Each structure stands twice: as C-alpha cells, then as structure tokens.
Amino acid sequence: MTSDSDSRALGAFLKARRAQLTPRECGLPETDSARKVAGLRREEVAQLAAISVDYYTRLEQGRVRASVPVLTTLARALRLDDDQQTYLYELAGRTDARPRRRRPAQRLRPAMRRLLDQLTETPALVLGKRLDILAWNPAAAALYTDFATIPAHRRNYLRLLFTNPVVRQLHQDWAHDAREAVAALRMEAAADPDDPDLAQLVGELSLQDPDFRAWWAEHRVNSASYGTKHYRHHLVGDLTLDCDTWASPDGSVQRLMILTAEPGSPSHDALRILTSWTTRQPGTDRTEGLTR
C-alpha cells in the first residue's frame, strides 16, 4: 500500500513530468490560445492515456491509487524512460512486471587491486557499473570516508555524494560535482537501460533528494574522464586535486579514479600530510569488493 506522502510524491512527479513535455512532442495539435501552465495540460495527459480528466486530476492530487494498466498508459503518454517508469511504479506501490535480466556480480580485477596497493600517497578508487565503489586504497579512505564501514551493496559513489554528510560536505562546490556525477550515470544508463540495480538506485535517490530528481530529469550526459576537484577536508583544509579516470581495457567497465595534486603546491603538501596518517593496509577485502 502507498502512504499519503507517496501519493503526494506520485502526483508531484506526474505534474513535473507533464511540465517537461510539449503538445508537439506528444503528437498533439498546437493551439493559438495562451497556455497557463508549462508543458501539457491535465486534459491532454488524460487524452493521451485514455483516462478521464477527473481520474487523472485525482491522481495528481493524491486522492486515488493508480492501477497497473493505468500506470502503463501514463508511462507511455508521458514518454517515461525505463528508470522513470521504475520510479513511477515504486511511488504507486505497484509491482513493475517488466522483465529484468539478472546481472552477474562485479568482481574486482586483480590488476586493479595491485595498482591500488602500489598507490600509497595518492587517493584512488575502482569504480564499477553504476559508479559502484569496488575497491579503494587507504589514501582514498582518508580523503572521503571509511568505506569499510559501509555495506558492500551500499558503496556507490553517487549514493554517498547525495546521502553521506561527510562526503557531501567535503565538496566545496557540491552542486556542480553532484550534477556532473548524475550526468555521468545518465551516460552509463544509455548502455544498459534495463539494469534493475540502476533502476533501484535512481528510484531511491529520486525519492530522497529533489536535486537528484531534477538533475536526472534533465537528461544531461557527461563522459569526461578528467577534471579538477575542490575539496575542504576537516583535517587538512582546502585541496585542489586533478581527477583522472582510466578505463580498464578488458571491457569490464571498471575504472581507476586517481586524485593528484600539483607538486610543490599547498594541496600537495596537505595531501602528503593526510596520507601519512593512514595505515598501510589494503583498502578492501577481496570478497567484500563483490557487488552487483
């Protein structure tokens, strides 16, 4: 059963989505009359979904629970992609019966493990599908957070960026960095739109964070493999680090993310101080590094 808050969230999602569409996009005739609202009118959505205007209005107002057939027609009428459809079903408290393929567990490549162990003064992470954090070195734990205290299935770079207060406060320009990370995930989603774990991640963050919901709906994509990060660490202060991401050549979609500072710069000195306080132990157990 859905709660009152879920019903209100469903109505807000429907309203926001129709505001993003135009009659032309949906095959409806344009009219000369001025539109009082952005995007589609309620009457137009009801027409496209073959339901009554009154019923659709009550859906947006959270006064009625949608059936699975109605959700199916609304998803088609509002041009929802796979992740948005998953979110729609979750808000409505209905089972999404669309077929899902089981994905094999992600296994950390031994070469990646060796690279991490050799990078003793440089923060480094191994990212897998959906920006899952498969492994890290002690320097990365010192910079970000103690990843070992987070369950393996919850270790996701984007999830931490939005839900972990320590990681969130680390970023001086959190909105910029978070929005770029959302665009990177959106780029990855195009390669495997039916991934149920991706749908779960997007649905979870959409429910929890309005910024994520808005940025995901923008459909911005980003495939950049390098950039500059500006951090404010609670122990060593401001850090300006170059972030480079290297893709594994074996097609595993695993990427090594390395953060470095200009030699002789204040950030370089601060990073050396930070990493000198870390223990020289591997960043993750090989078994814990497995995730879907």
Side-chain angles (χ1 to χ4, degrees), residues 30-206:
E30 297 279 1
T31 61
D32 295 330
S33 60
R35 306 183 73 84
K36 296 181 180 180
V37 295
L40 298 179
R41 299 187 178 100
R42 286 174 174 170
E43 298 81 17
E44 292 168 330
V45 176
Q47 176 186 344
L48 290 168
I51 58 179
S52 72
V53 177
D54 177 67
Y55 183 82
Y56 179 75
T57 299
R58 285 185 288 151
L59 272 178
E60 279 201 1
Q61 294 173 345
R63 295 162 49 204
V64 65
R65 189 183 184 205
S67 65
V68 172
V70 167
L71 293 174
T72 301
T73 60
L74 282 173
R76 184 172 59 251
L78 294 173
R79 306 294 181 92
L80 301 186
D81 61 23
D82 286 334
D83 297 325
Q84 291 168 329
Q85 289 183 52
T86 299
Y87 180 46
L88 180 73
Y89 280 92
E90 288 181 351
L91 288 180
R94 297 293 190 181
T95 300
D96 184 353
R98 290 176 295 155
R100 302 291 187 183
R101 302 191 306 273
R102 185 174 179 80
R103 303 304 198 273
Q106 299 182 77
R107 295 180 177 274
L108 179 66
R109 295 185 63 239
M112 289 291 196
R113 177 74 269 165
R114 291 193 296 270
L115 281 172
L116 284 179
D117 291 342
Q118 293 173 25
L119 294 170
T120 58
E121 296 184 356
T122 302
L125 302 167
V126 176
L127 302 176
K129 295 179 180 178
R130 304 170 296 273
L131 304 183
D132 289 337
I133 299 172
L134 304 184
W136 61 93
N137 64 0
L143 176 64
Y144 286 104
T145 190
D146 185 0
F147 297 110
T149 63
I150 302 170
H153 71 281
R154 302 289 297 175
R155 289 186 204 129
N156 177 274
Y157 184 80
L158 195 64
R159 179 184 282 115
L160 294 179
L161 196 57
F162 277 89
T163 65
N164 186 294
V166 174
V167 175
R168 184 167 181 144
Q169 293 169 14
L170 175 68
H171 292 76
Q172 288 193 40
D173 191 353
W174 176 86
H176 172 272
D177 293 346
R179 192 179 182 202
E180 290 304 307
V182 171
L185 185 67
R186 172 64 81 173
M187 185 79 180
E188 182 177 320
D192 192 5
D194 294 326
D195 181 358
D197 295 312
L198 174 64
Q200 181 178 351
L201 174 65
V202 171
E204 173 192 330
L205 294 180
S206 295

